[in-house]
Amino acid sequence: QVQLVESGGDSVQAGGSLRLSCGYYGHTFSPYVMGWFRQAPDKEREGVAAIYTGGGSTYYADSVKGRFAISQDNAKNTLYLQMNSLKPEDTALYYCAAGFHWSTDIGRSWSDMREYNYWGHGTQVTVSS
């Protein structure tokens, strides 16, 4: 079974930066798409960012555009999420996820959880003001 292991979550003051990492193991082929999701207390889980492995296209939630950057290092089997200018509103449990199935229109469905077959355990990001 494919396993995803996350790291990098921490407590930081508003305006600070963090970089989350997600290593993925046990796969035969590279993921088709990888993404980051987050869930804050009393809120629905939402897509934060995703990257299409084949073409390198990236996708972001409006709330994080310009502040977060997703990237992937295939040689290291690692997904990253660079988070800058963090806000208290970014406080949430962050999950990484990998999808190994083909998607007709990933640009439209990247934030759909059904696109992802495997999920990490989550890493907590807490931003204080």
Side-chain angles (χ1 to χ4, degrees):
Q1 180 177 324
V2 175
Q3 295 184 350
L4 285 70
V5 181
E6 303 163 339
S7 62
D10 207 346
S11 296
V12 64
Q13 291 186 310
S17 299
L18 286 174
R19 187 178 75 164
L20 305 183
S21 299
C22 177
Y24 44 98
Y25 313 91
H27 61 283
T28 302
F29 302 99
S30 297
Y32 175 77
V33 62
M34 297 197 72
W36 289 96
F37 290 74
R38 68 185 182 186
Q39 186 167 18
D42 300 319
K43 291 187 177 181
E44 297 293 324
R45 182 164 51 178
E46 64 174 346
V48 177
I51 183 168
Y52 167 50
T53 301
S57 298
T58 56
Y59 313 92
Y60 297 93
D62 290 339
S63 60
V64 306
K65 286 182 179 178
R67 298 189 298 119
F68 291 9
I70 188 171
S71 62
Q72 183 182 32
D73 188 334
N74 286 327
K76 297 181 179 179
N77 293 330
T78 303
L79 178 74
Y80 301 99
L81 182 67
Q82 179 65 47
M83 304 184 293
N84 299 321
S85 301
L86 284 163
K87 304 175 181 180
E89 300 83 77
D90 296 317
T91 296
L93 185 64
Y94 284 70
Y95 302 89
C96 64
F100 289 84
H101 61 278
W102 185 265
S103 178
T104 302
D105 189 0
I106 190 63
R108 187 177 182 84
S109 62
W110 70 267
S111 61
D112 189 336
M113 291 182 289
R114 293 174 295 180
E115 292 287 340
Y116 303 88
N117 306 101
Y118 300 95
W119 296 79
H121 53 78
T123 185
Q124 180 67 41
V125 172
T126 302
V127 184
S128 60
S129 60

